[in-house]
């Protein structure tokens, strides 16, 4: 597989253009100030917000402020960045390598401190034993949102040489169903709303045109800062006149400021999108020139969406038909208009089809790759960072052993990951071959990124003979199953790069600068991959004299022996030059021809790739498997629609729960219940409640609010309690309030993508009488720990 660098741009020349305001390091009031553009850890999406780290003469971080020099974030920070000092110096952070005997897994008091050399030697010994006996395919690398995007792929590919990198959420129902739809329909990667972030003049740049209408489809960017997008850019646009359409079952802050809010029944988005296409086409509101010149399959699309008249969609979605008409007309008549699509698009069985209709909407209205519309990445901004070193380290023969490749090639080939659901089955059954070694990288799957987490727990503990955890803290997943722990450097203790949107559709390129050293947490993921790789496969890593050179090759697309990174990183953040209407200039295709990088050279409304993989090439709606239409008998037992996972500014997924200031902002797992429902069930605001369905159950604290309607329950995800006992069976309470207990595996779409995490069913009732007392005792213990 060929490697296309994430951003082959003249960053050296950009360093001078972006050298605004203060230099990257300077002195102020007796403190050394280091400007940096961080990513993780602690966790966040790759926004690269501008930070200023203030360090005293003892080498201690004493203050964190926003960097006003950053062209997009302009000094604005979320609570997590402001609490960075408390993360760095948290008393429960582990600052040196640890090991324990595999028979002592799940026992938090059995860890013993070892040196880095001892840790590396132990890993090398176990790696050689397992590969020699079972083969490299017996290793699985569990990945999460990522700490440097494609960097994570270095571990499974070049370091361990396994084809089985695995994101454990069923159907890879996070980002990837959307991404797959875009790749297979347009040949591009992620189309983001153009917020003028890459333009030197920002909103006032002469090339920019303010977005008239922006649809937020299952997205709350103020809290999530999704996939590298700085959420408050939306507020900047609204102040300038951008109008909002919100599509969300919940009434969030932005929905209350929207011109239109469509609180549809969770999981019915594809029907809504098909109806909007129907209206735009039948009322002749589409862009004829773009459709005629740059779209393929328009007539077939017209026929398909005619099957979903707005009145039918209104009945399915639980919306007034008038609102569907109003939303379609408002979007189609605005020039330019854009759609920001969120995780809710992915988290349904027809998640890819939901993505399909959204791309159709963007295309037929002529909003692709225009100023203020959907920004498209060029031909040089590939999504294949994951392929770095793949051909040399894996090869075709081993690649064919990837779990799920035969059954779901559209999934496995595109993201170079084993199929999550089939990986779980392989761990449980040992088929098609045994899995014997594991590696956690940016993943706390038992608390966050797996459905039926106890099932994953049991399979991993039973199957894996040796397991490694890499993090800043001992998580429930590491406590349950790991034999070696390797501590990571935080963003204040490391160098590195951050490209918005994981490198595809890059708006800014940021650089992390090391300001302090804490304990023996010496390495970032990139540096740790280099150190491990030198020991396990020196023949693969001998081309780089140090990790700087690896960064330059992998992230910057150059090889200049450690000097290029030092030079360009001093700009701290660089706006990446962009061009619009690239399809008219031969800038979207690797061959330089006009059009899109698809078999037809056009946006494929009739997707030939889907047809090749055996799926319907046109969008279609699938009624949620669990709900009033397909399972009315279950609805008698579980009468509420369950949606999950809305973000909070205090945490990033399962991270930050041990940070006292952030837990003070958000101390408990919250489930939202409509006031009429709460009254009927005898539930009071702040009361602990039991949420349950045919898959499992958990307990969370009720928030009685009209944010949700009388048919809907919303529950938070990724909760665990670092203040509690970490040993089995408690594991920091990770299964007690874990809404993933209620989410099933195995309910994905035809090509392997999607999962119904945001459109299930459940019931709810008050928890036992003594539960509030038990939880208060836990909080008293946490308070004592904070004081100490």
């Amino acid at each position: 597989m060929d490697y296309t660098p994430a951003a082959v741009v003249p960053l050296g020349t950009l360093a001078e253009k972006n050298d605004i305001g203060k230099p990257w390091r300077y002195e102020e009031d007796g403190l050394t100030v280091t400007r940096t553009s961080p990513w993780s850890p602690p966790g966040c999406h790759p926004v690269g917000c501008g930070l200023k780290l203030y360090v005293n003469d003892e080498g201690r971080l004493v203050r964190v402020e926003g960097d006003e020099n950053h062209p997009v974030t302009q000094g604005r920070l979320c609570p997590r960045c402001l609490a960075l000092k408390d993360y760095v110096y948290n008393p429960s952070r582990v600052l040196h390598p640890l090991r324990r005997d595999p028979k002592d897994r799940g026992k938090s008091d059995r860890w013993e401190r070892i040196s880095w050399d001892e840790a590396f030697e132990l890993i090398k010994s176990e790696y050689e034993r397992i590969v020699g006996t079972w083969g490299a395919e017996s290793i699985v690398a569990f990945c999460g949102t990522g700490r440097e995007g494609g960097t994570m792929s270095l571990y499974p590919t070049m370091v361990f040489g396994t084809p089985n990198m695995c994101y454990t959420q069923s159907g890879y129902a996070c980002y990837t169903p959307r991404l797959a739809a875009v790749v297979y329909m347009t040949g591009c990667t992620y189309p983001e709303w153009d917020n003028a972030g890459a333009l030197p003049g920002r909103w006032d740049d002469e090339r920019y045109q303010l977005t008239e209408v922006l649809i937020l489809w299952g997205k709350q960017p103020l809290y999530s800062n999704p996939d590298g997008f700085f959420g408050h850019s939306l507020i900047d646009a609204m102040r300038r006149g951008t109008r909002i359409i919100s599509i969300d079952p919940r009434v969030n802050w932005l929905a209350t400021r929207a011109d239109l809010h469509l609180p549809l029944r969770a999981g019915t988005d594809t029907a809504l999108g098909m109806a909007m296409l129907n209206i735009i086409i039948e009322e002749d509101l589409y862009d004829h020139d773009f459709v005629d010149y740059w779209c393929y399959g328009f007539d077939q699309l017209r026929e398909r969406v005619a099957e979903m008249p707005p009145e039918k969609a209104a009945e399915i979605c639980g919306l007034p038909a008038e609102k569907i008409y109003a939303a379609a007309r408002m979007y189609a008549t605005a020039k330019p208009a854009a759609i920001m699509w969120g995780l809710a698009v992915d988290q349904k069985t027809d998640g890819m089809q939901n993505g399909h209709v959204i791309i159709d909407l963007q295309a037929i209205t002529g909003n692709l790759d225009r100023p203020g519309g959907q920004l498209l990445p060029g031909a040089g901004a590939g999504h294949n960072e994951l392929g770095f070193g793949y051909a040399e380290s894996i090869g075709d023969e081993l690649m064919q052993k990837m779990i799920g490749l035969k059954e779901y090639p559209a999934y496995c080939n595109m993201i170079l990951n084993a199929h999550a659901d089939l990986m779980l089955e392989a761990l449980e059954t040992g088929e098609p071959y045994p899995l014997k070694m594991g590696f956690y990288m940016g993943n706390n799957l038992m608390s966050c990124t797996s459905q039926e987490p106890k099932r994953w727990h049991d399979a991993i503990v039973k199957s894996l003979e040796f397991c490694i955890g890499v993090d800043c803290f001992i998580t429930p997943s590491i406590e349950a199953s790991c034999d070696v722990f390797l501590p990571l450097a935080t963003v204040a203790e490391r160098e590195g790069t951050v490209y918005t949107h994981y490198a595809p559709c890059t708006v800014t390129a940021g650089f992390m600068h090391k300001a302090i050293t804490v304990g023996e947490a010496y390495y970032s993921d990139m540096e740790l991959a280099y150190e491990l790789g030198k020991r396990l496969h020196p023949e693969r890593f001998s081309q780089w004299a140090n990790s700087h050179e690896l960064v330059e090759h992998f992230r910057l697309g150059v090889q200049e022996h450690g000097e290029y990174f030092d030079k360009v990183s001093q700009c701290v953040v660089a706006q990446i030059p962009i061009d619009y209407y690239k399809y008219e200039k031969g800038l979207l295709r690797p061959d330089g021809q006009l059009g899109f990088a698809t078999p037809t050279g056009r946006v494929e409304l009739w997707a030939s790739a889907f047809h090749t993989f055996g799926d319907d090439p046109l969008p279609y709606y699938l009624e949620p498997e669990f709900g009033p239409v397909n399972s009315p008998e279950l609805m008698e037992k579980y009468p509420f629609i369950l949606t999950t996972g809305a973000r909070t500014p205090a945490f990033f997924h399962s991270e930050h729960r041990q940070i006292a200031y952030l837990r003070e902002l958000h101390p408990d797992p919250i489930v939202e219940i409509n006031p009429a429902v709460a009254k009927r069930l005898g539930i009071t605001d702040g009361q602990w409640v039991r949420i349950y369905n045919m898959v499992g159950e958990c307990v969370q604290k009720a928030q009685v609010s009209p944010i949700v309607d009388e048919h809907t329950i919303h529950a938070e995800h990724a909760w665990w309690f670092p203040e509690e006992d970490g040993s089995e069976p408690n594991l920091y309470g990770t299964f007690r309030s874990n809404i993933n207990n209620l989410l099933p595996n195995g309910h994905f779409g035809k090509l392997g993508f999607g999962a119904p995490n945001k459109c299930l069913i459940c019931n709810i009732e008050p928890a036992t009488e003594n539960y509030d007392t038990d939880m208060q005792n836990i909080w008293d213990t946490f308070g004592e720990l904070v004081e100490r």
Side-chain angles (χ1 to χ4, degrees):
M1 177 174 291
D2 293 331
Y3 166 63
T4 301
V8 183
V9 293
L11 289 175
T13 61
L14 288 174
E16 296 180 4
K17 295 181 181 179
N18 286 271
D19 188 16
I20 56 177
K22 296 287 188 178
W24 74 277
R25 179 168 285 163
Y26 59 94
E27 301 295 318
E28 181 180 296
D29 298 331
L31 300 174
T32 299
V33 184
T34 301
R35 293 175 55 217
T36 188
S37 183
W39 187 344
S40 177
C44 192
H45 284 118
V47 182
C49 299
L51 262 66
K52 295 189 292 189
L53 307 177
Y54 290 77
V55 178
N56 65 18
D57 55 9
E58 297 177 354
R60 187 175 178 87
L61 178 66
V62 296
R63 190 164 81 242
V64 176
E65 292 183 358
D67 185 357
E68 69 279 6
N69 300 289
H70 193 291
V72 177
T73 62
Q74 300 172 325
R76 295 169 288 188
L77 295 179
C78 73
R80 301 189 301 276
C81 279
L82 294 172
L84 176 60
K85 180 168 68 74
D86 302 281
Y87 186 101
V88 169
Y89 299 117
N90 192 277
S92 60
R93 184 182 171 195
V94 181
L95 298 172
H96 43 260
L98 301 173
R99 68 160 293 174
R100 65 182 172 191
D101 192 295
K103 70 177 186 295
D104 289 328
R105 287 180 181 174
K107 298 177 181 178
S108 61
D109 60 348
R110 300 299 174 90
W111 292 104
E112 60 182 50
R113 180 173 179 173
I114 57 175
S115 69
W116 276 104
D117 285 340
E118 289 174 313
F120 290 143
E121 282 303 311
L122 175 58
I123 292 169
K124 185 174 187 292
S125 174
E126 287 296 295
Y127 172 74
E128 291 175 347
R129 176 184 70 83
I130 289 170
V131 171
T133 304
W134 303 100
E137 66 271 21
S138 68
I139 302 171
V140 54
F142 300 116
C143 62
T145 299
R147 287 183 283 247
E148 279 184 275
T151 298
M152 310 304 284
S153 69
L154 284 173
Y155 287 126
T157 56
M158 296 193 71
V159 176
F160 295 116
T162 177
N164 286 319
M165 180 175 174
C166 184
Y167 177 67
T168 56
Q169 187 171 171
S170 176
Y172 212 126
C174 177
Y175 186 67
T176 298
R178 281 170 285 162
L179 188 66
V182 177
V183 169
Y184 290 133
M185 292 177 64
T186 72
C188 301
T189 50
Y190 198 74
E192 186 55 272
W193 167 46
D194 178 22
N195 69 341
L199 299 175
R202 288 299 317 278
W203 305 103
D204 299 320
D205 196 280
E206 63 181 5
R207 289 182 290 169
Y208 189 70
Q209 185 177 355
L210 182 67
T211 310
E212 286 188 18
V213 170
L214 179 62
I215 296 179
L216 299 177
W217 203 311
K219 197 159 196 161
Q220 220 293 40
L222 297 185
Y223 284 1
S224 60
N225 292 302
D227 309 314
F229 181 89
F230 181 61
H232 271 75
S233 294
L234 180 56
I235 303 301
D236 297 338
M238 291 169 67
R239 287 171 173 163
R240 287 165 170 80
T242 297
R243 296 178 296 151
I244 302 299
I245 298 172
S246 173
I247 300 174
D248 198 313
R250 300 169 66 244
V251 182
N252 58 46
W253 188 89
L254 284 166
T256 65
R257 275 79 176 168
D259 281 40
L260 281 174
H261 175 217
L262 281 66
L264 76 175
R265 173 165 63 93
T268 62
D269 307 68
T270 306
L272 173 62
M274 292 178 68
M276 291 176 66
L277 285 165
N278 186 341
I279 295 166
I280 292 168
I281 293 172
E282 292 307 309
E283 296 188 1
D284 198 22
L285 302 177
Y286 62 92
D287 186 320
H288 284 254
D289 286 343
F290 191 88
V291 167
D292 290 344
Y293 286 106
W294 305 112
C295 291
Y296 176 79
F298 179 75
D299 291 337
Q300 294 94 323
L301 177 67
R302 179 198 291 268
E303 292 178 9
R304 175 58 56 86
V305 299
E307 300 172 8
M308 187 62 71
E311 290 72 21
K312 179 179 178 181
E315 184 177 351
I316 291 171
C317 300
L319 294 170
E322 294 76 17
K323 275 199 170 185
I324 300 177
Y325 279 102
R329 291 164 179 164
M330 182 175 167
Y331 170 72
T333 57
K335 301 297 179 188
I339 300 174
M340 293 189 73
W341 44 348
L343 186 66
V345 171
D346 306 320
Q347 296 204 335
K348 56 181 71 70
T349 301
D350 66 350
M352 181 172 279
Q353 286 68 42
N354 191 177
H356 194 159
V357 297
I358 289 174
I359 298 163
D360 289 342
L361 285 165
Q362 295 167 347
I364 71 168
T365 55
N367 282 302
L368 287 177
D369 214 27
R370 67 176 296 171
Q374 309 292 153
L375 188 63
L376 291 179
H383 65 285
N384 59 344
E385 265 199 345
L386 294 171
F388 184 78
Y390 212 92
E392 302 88 338
S393 307
I394 307 298
D396 290 340
E397 183 178 352
L398 193 54
M399 168 77 170
Q400 296 306 312
K401 296 183 178 181
M402 179 188 290
I403 300 292
L405 177 62
K406 179 180 177 181
E407 296 87 346
Y408 299 105
Y411 175 123
C412 297
N413 274 312
M414 199 212 74
I415 202 67
L416 293 179
N417 259 233
H419 193 277
D421 301 77
L422 272 62
M423 175 58 70
L424 176 58
E425 293 178 8
L427 285 164
E428 291 176 325
T429 65
E431 298 294 338
Y433 49 78
L435 292 147
K436 295 296 181 180
M437 178 175 169
F439 187 89
Y440 289 102
M441 47 185 193
N443 183 298
N444 179 16
L445 66 89
M446 295 178 196
S447 302
C448 182
T449 53
S450 65
Q451 288 93 314
E452 300 178 86
K454 188 62 167 60
R455 188 177 161 195
W456 276 95
H457 164 279
D458 294 348
I460 289 170
V461 172
K462 170 190 171 185
S463 177
L464 302 184
E465 295 179 0
F466 184 67
C467 200
I468 307 161
V470 180
D471 216 304
C472 295
F473 296 88
I474 301 288
T475 66
S477 304
I478 291 173
E479 192 70 80
S481 60
C482 286
D483 313 301
V484 173
F485 175 87
L486 304 179
L488 274 180
T490 70
V491 293
E493 304 151 33
R494 55 165 297 187
E495 296 175 335
T497 60
V498 50
Y499 293 99
T500 55
H501 304 93
Y502 306 102
C505 209
T506 301
V507 173
T508 60
F511 298 91
M512 287 172 265
H513 289 290
K514 181 175 181 177
I516 57 174
T517 299
V518 181
E520 296 178 19
Y522 301 140
Y523 305 118
S524 67
D525 278 296
M526 179 78 80
E527 293 164 336
L528 182 54
Y530 176 77
E531 293 297 327
L532 275 170
K534 283 195 308 181
R535 290 162 172 83
L536 302 187
H537 285 286
E539 75 281 2
R540 297 175 187 169
F541 286 82
S542 60
Q543 59 185 301
W544 303 295
N546 52 53
S547 59
H548 257 54
E549 292 187 12
L550 175 59
V551 169
E552 289 175 350
H553 189 184
F554 183 82
R555 298 294 280 170
L556 303 179
V558 299
Q559 294 204 55
E560 295 198 14
H561 308 294
E563 298 175 0
Y564 187 73
F565 177 85
D566 290 338
K567 177 183 178 182
V568 301
S569 65
Q570 293 185 25
C571 73
V572 185
V573 62
Q575 291 171 297
I576 302 301
I578 62 169
D579 206 344
Y580 297 110
Y581 306 108
K582 291 184 282 294
Y583 51 87
E584 296 179 345
K585 306 170 184 176
L587 299 177
L588 289 181
R589 295 174 59 97
D591 59 11
Q593 298 297 308
L594 302 185
F596 293 80
T598 62
T600 61
R602 303 182 178 207
V603 178
E604 295 197 342
L605 312 176
W606 189 98
S608 57
F610 295 167
H611 179 69
T612 300
F613 288 125
D615 204 355
D616 193 326
L618 292 166
Y620 57 91
Y621 170 64
L622 290 177
E623 177 66 30
E625 183 177 350
F626 303 101
V629 176
N630 281 336
S631 55
E633 70 289 345
L634 282 175
M635 287 290 290
E636 294 180 7
K637 295 181 180 178
Y638 313 110
F640 302 106
I641 302 297
L642 172 64
T643 185
T644 65
R647 305 297 185 251
T648 165
F651 312 124
F652 183 74
H653 295 299
S654 69
E655 293 196 63
H656 302 96
R657 294 304 195 285
Q658 59 278 94
I659 310 304
Y661 288 117
L662 299 178
R663 280 292 289 280
E664 186 176 2
L665 286 176
H666 202 106
D668 300 304
I670 295 299
V671 55
E672 296 164 351
I673 311 171
N674 184 272
V677 173
K679 182 178 181 180
R680 186 170 75 247
L681 299 179
I683 294 171
T684 59
D685 190 64
Q687 181 178 11
W688 287 94
V689 295
R690 173 179 174 246
I691 316 163
Y692 60 99
N693 67 7
M694 60 284 172
V695 181
E697 64 179 77
C698 71
V699 292
Q700 295 193 3
K701 183 172 281 191
Q703 182 177 86
V704 178
S705 170
I707 284 174
V708 292
D709 64 26
E710 295 183 37
H711 307 289
T712 305
I713 300 290
H714 171 264
E716 292 181 345
H717 78 304
W719 270 92
W720 60 293
F721 303 90
E723 64 273 18
E724 293 188 25
D725 179 23
S727 296
E728 293 271 20
N730 190 54
L731 291 177
Y732 305 104
T734 194
F735 299 122
R736 184 174 63 252
S737 294
N738 195 334
I739 195 62
N740 289 2
N741 294 343
L742 285 74
L743 311 185
N745 290 282
H747 296 270
F748 45 83
K750 190 170 184 178
L751 298 187
F753 296 101
N757 298 351
K758 290 184 178 289
C759 51
L760 282 163
I761 56 177
C762 73
N763 208 338
I764 191 167
E765 65 184 14
T768 57
E769 292 182 4
N770 61 346
Y771 194 80
D772 285 308
T773 301
D774 294 340
M775 289 304 299
Q776 185 58 53
N777 291 336
I778 290 172
W779 263 108
D780 291 343
T781 302
F782 183 63
E784 294 171 5
L785 289 172
V786 171
E787 290 178 6
R788 288 205 297 266

